[in-house]
Amino acid sequence: MELKKNDIFTVKITDMSDDGSGIGKHQGFTWFIKDTVAGDTVEASVMKMKKSYGFARLQKILQPSPSRTEARCATARRCGGCQLQEMDYKAQLQFKENKVYNNLCRIGGLDDFRNLSSQGTWTMEPIIGMENPWRYRNKAQFPMGRSRDGRIIAGFYAGRTHDIIENHDCLLGAEENKAILDIIINFMETYDIEPYCERSHTGLVRHVLIRKGFSTGEIMVCLVINGNTLPYGEMLAAELAKIPGMTSICCNLNKEKTNVILGKKVYSIYGPQYITDYIGHVKYQISPVSFYQVNPVQTKRLYRTALEYAGLTGNETVWDLYCGIGTISLFLAQHAKKVYGVEIVPQAIEDARRNALLNHMENVEFFVGKAEEVLPEKYEKEQIYADVIVVDPPRKGCDPTCLDTIVKMSPQRVVYVSCDSATLARDVKYLGERGYQVEKARCCDMFPMTGHVETVVLMSRVKD
Ligand code: SAH
C-alpha cells in the first residue's frame, strides 16, 4: 500500500545522514527521520515524499538502539546546533569514521579492505575523538530577542528557522557564557535597551558574540548592534569586567537588513579589540571578525596529523592552499624551509601576515587569490616548486585546475584536509588517476554532537 502524508509506519533505522538524521528503508523508499539513531526501530509519520525518498517525523521509539543515550541538553531536539546528542559518543565516532571510509571506497575507488578480505593498499587510522566531548567551542554567537511573554532572551536558532530557542548555557560552549548573558540581559532590562527584531528591523542588540582563548583564559564579549553606540556601555563594561579572564569588550556595528551576523566596524568599550590564544606553540591575535577554529583542542590534533603526514625534515618547500588565517601554514613553518599560503579572502591574509610577524616566522609568504588561479599563474610564470602541498578546501572541494597544477608541480606528497568526505573522495580519485596514491587517512572529531567530521589524507607520488 502506498504511503501518503501523515500515514504512520514502522521502520528500522540502519544509517545516519550527513546532517545527523536517521535513515531507514521501507517498501523500497529511503526515509530520513530526525531525532532517530541507527539501530532504533521506530514509528514515524510521513511529512514529505519525493520519488524515491521521503521525510518522516519520529512518533514513537518501539525498540531503542543500543547506541541511544539521553540528550544532556533540554533543548537538544529543537535547537539547530546539535544533531547527535541522543547517540552515545563512541557510536558517533564510529559512525563518522565509517562514513568517511565508505566514501573513500565507494566514490574514491580505494580498496575496501574492511569488507573484502583483500590486503589493504592503504591504512585508515583510528578516528581522533575527544576525552570530554562537551564545552569544546571557544566561540558562541547568541541571537537576542523577546520571548512570547515579553522577556529579553538569548539563545540559538531552531533548525532551518530564525525562531530563537532560549538557552543561556549551551553545553558545547564555555561555562562563562551563562554569567555573561545574564549580565547583558539584566543591563538591557535596567536601561531599557531593546533587542533587535528581524521583522521590523528595529531594536538595538542583535547578537552577542563571545570568544574565549582556551589556553590563555582570555575572554572577549562583542555586542552586535543595529546603531552607532551602545548607551551606558561603560556601566555594562564595569559589570562584565568582574568575570575572571575578561579582556576585551566591544561593539560591532551592523545596521543592514541581513542574515550576516557581523558588520565591518568595531569599537572598544573595554580593553583591546582582540584576545590572544595559542595552538601548540603558535600565538594568534583574534578580533571579533577573525576566522579562528572553534575547537582548539582538536584543531591542535588535526594539525599535528597534517604535520606528521607532511613528513617534514626542515628542508622542504611547502604550499598551503586554502590557508585561511594561515593556521596550518604557521604550524608547518616551524618544521619546513619555506611555506607559501594561498587564500581568497584578503582580510584573512592580513591576519595571516600579522600572525606570522607575531610569531617571528620569516619563512612564510602569503598570496591573496583563488588557489586555482594563483597556483597555475605562479607555476607558468615562475616555475614554482613544492616538496609537499597541503590543501584544506571548503566543502565543495578543489577545483580541477588546482588539482591539475598540483599534478604538474609533482610534489612528493599531497596532504588533503577535508570537512566533506564526498568531495574529498572525488578529488582523491582524480589525483589517483594522475599518479598519486593514498597511503593513509585519519578522521578527527572537531565537532562532537554534530554530524560533521574532519579528515586528513596522505597521498604520495607513485614512483615511475
Ligand atoms: N586552513 C585554514 C582554513 C580552511 S577553511 C584553517 O585551518 O584555519 C577553507 C578556506 O578556503 C577559507 O578560508 C576560504 O575563504 C578559502 N577559500 C575558498 N575558496 C577558495 C579558493 N578558490 N581559493 C583559495 N581559498 C579559498
Side-chain angles (χ1 to χ4, degrees):
M1 201 191 63
E2 280 267 313
L3 287 169
K4 52 185 188 317
K5 195 165 173 166
N6 296 329
D7 279 355
I8 299 221
F9 62 102
T10 299
V11 61
K12 169 133 185 157
I13 305 300
T14 50
D15 200 358
M16 305 290 291
S17 73
D18 286 4
D19 62 7
S21 283
I23 301 177
K25 291 228 155 66
H26 180 78
Q27 294 181 347
F29 253 69
T30 302
W31 290 98
F32 293 88
I33 309 171
K34 202 177 144 312
D35 305 322
T36 64
V37 171
D40 283 343
T41 300
V42 302
E43 241 174 44
S45 58
V46 176
M47 289 160 61
K48 202 155 81 184
M49 285 172 81
K50 303 267 181 187
K51 246 195 177 135
S52 60
Y53 66 94
F55 299 89
R57 181 172 288 120
L58 171 65
Q59 294 294 342
K60 195 152 95 190
I61 299 165
L62 299 176
Q63 169 95 50
S65 161
S67 331
R68 182 169 270 285
T69 178
E70 189 101 357
R72 280 210 199 173
C73 174
T75 55
R77 281 195 184 178
R78 289 186 297 144
C79 171
C82 292
Q83 298 90 39
L84 298 179
Q85 268 204 36
E86 291 178 274
M87 192 179 206
D88 167 69
Y89 186 57
K90 272 213 178 100
Q92 290 183 26
L93 293 174
Q94 198 61 54
F95 150 65
K96 292 183 185 187
E97 187 180 301
N98 285 347
K99 183 170 79 177
V100 173
Y101 175 86
N102 288 336
N103 278 342
L104 285 174
C105 295
R106 274 209 304 255
I107 306 170
L110 298 192
D111 104 69
D112 181 4
F113 57 85
R114 284 188 180 172
N115 295 311
L116 313 169
S117 52
S118 60
Q119 270 263 294
T121 53
W122 63 292
T123 321
M124 183 92 192
E125 299 191 291
I127 183 168
I128 305 169
M130 294 193 82
E131 289 75 32
N132 175 12
W134 302 96
R135 301 214 178 273
Y136 61 80
R137 286 185 63 100
N138 59 12
K139 170 182 166 185
Q141 301 178 120
F142 297 89
M144 306 294 293
R146 281 200 183 268
S147 63
R148 290 225 171 93
D149 59 2
R151 288 175 302 115
I152 298 179
I153 56 168
F156 294 98
Y157 293 130
R160 293 179 226 281
T161 76
H162 271 200
D163 297 340
I164 300 173
I165 307 287
E166 183 176 9
N167 183 356
H168 297 184
D169 189 23
C170 166
L171 298 178
L172 302 190
E175 304 231 9
E176 291 88 347
N177 291 352
K178 183 175 182 310
I180 292 169
L181 290 173
D182 290 347
I183 289 173
I184 292 173
I185 289 174
N186 193 14
F187 161 80
M188 289 170 67
E189 301 274 14
T190 308
Y191 293 95
D192 274 334
I193 294 171
E194 244 333 271
Y196 179 67
C197 168
E198 255 182 347
R199 237 169 289 126
S200 57
H201 191 54
T202 57
L204 189 66
V205 183
R206 300 171 75 123
H207 275 82
V208 172
L209 164 69
I210 307 174
R211 299 187 109 149
K212 181 175 178 187
F214 279 12
S215 62
T216 57
E218 294 185 9
I219 298 175
M220 161 182 285
V221 176
C222 177
L223 286 88
V224 185
I225 57 173
N226 173 38
N228 292 323
T229 48
L230 177 72
Y232 311 104
E234 66 291 350
M235 309 303 261
L236 175 65
E239 280 307 305
L240 286 175
K242 292 179 189 159
I243 292 178
M246 191 57 64
T247 304
S248 159
I249 305 171
C250 49
C251 285
N252 173 281
L253 314 185
N254 184 358
K255 291 183 269 182
E256 305 291 317
K257 263 192 175 168
T258 169
N259 276 342
V260 178
I261 295 179
L262 291 171
K264 288 205 175 77
K265 278 200 185 137
V266 178
Y267 80 88
S268 170
I269 40 184
Y270 174 89
Q273 286 184 20
Y274 59 83
I275 55 169
T276 305
D277 196 28
Y278 290 82
I279 300 178
H281 298 298
V282 186
K283 187 174 178 183
Y284 298 93
Q285 273 181 0
I286 313 150
S287 80
V289 294
S290 303
F291 172 84
Y292 188 61
Q293 295 281 1
V294 297
N295 183 337
V297 171
Q298 292 299 87
T299 297
K300 184 168 148 192
R301 293 168 170 173
L302 178 78
Y303 291 174
R304 282 241 167 100
T305 309
L307 181 64
E308 180 203 318
Y309 283 12
L312 303 180
T313 61
N315 295 321
E316 292 80 4
T317 301
V318 184
W319 281 77
D320 177 20
L321 308 179
Y322 312 87
C323 70
I325 60 162
T327 2
I328 297 181
S329 319
L330 298 187
F331 223 73
L332 298 169
Q334 302 168 91
H335 307 273
K337 188 167 87 193
K338 179 90 195 197
V339 179
Y340 297 95
V342 183
E343 158 67 43
I344 198 171
V345 176
Q347 296 88 323
I349 290 292
E350 273 172 37
D351 278 355
R353 289 182 180 140
R354 213 191 40 240
N355 287 326
L357 277 180
L358 190 69
N359 290 283
H360 312 290
M361 289 190 188
E362 278 152 17
N363 59 339
V364 282
E365 200 174 321
F366 294 101
F367 303 102
V368 180
K370 291 185 181 169
E372 61 273 25
E373 288 174 8
V374 172
L375 203 63
E377 199 190 297
K378 296 256 165 220
Y379 179 72
E380 309 291 327
K381 285 204 188 130
E382 297 167 32
Q383 315 284 276
I384 50 160
Y385 170 83
D387 296 292
V388 179
I389 296 183
V390 178
V391 298
D392 183 7
R395 299 192 73 87
K396 68 171 193 251
C398 295
D399 188 279
T401 316
C402 176
L403 296 176
D404 288 338
T405 312
I406 291 176
V407 172
K408 281 190 207 154
M409 287 172 73
S410 92
Q412 294 281 338
R413 289 180 289 285
V414 175
V415 178
Y416 197 131
V417 182
S418 162
C419 55
D420 184 315
S421 59
T423 56
L424 165 71
R426 177 199 69 199
D427 292 348
V428 156
K429 179 155 192 241
Y430 193 89
L431 289 173
E433 288 158 354
R434 288 161 182 78
Y436 282 85
Q437 159 183 313
V438 171
E439 304 264 344
K440 47 190 179 179
R442 183 158 209 183
C443 297
C444 181
D445 190 22
M446 299 271 273
F447 310 104
M449 311 301 145
T450 79
H452 302 289
V453 63
E454 214 66 27
T455 309
V456 189
V457 168
L458 169 61
M459 301 189 81
S460 295
R461 197 175 71 213
V462 181
K463 310 271 175 309
D464 307 317

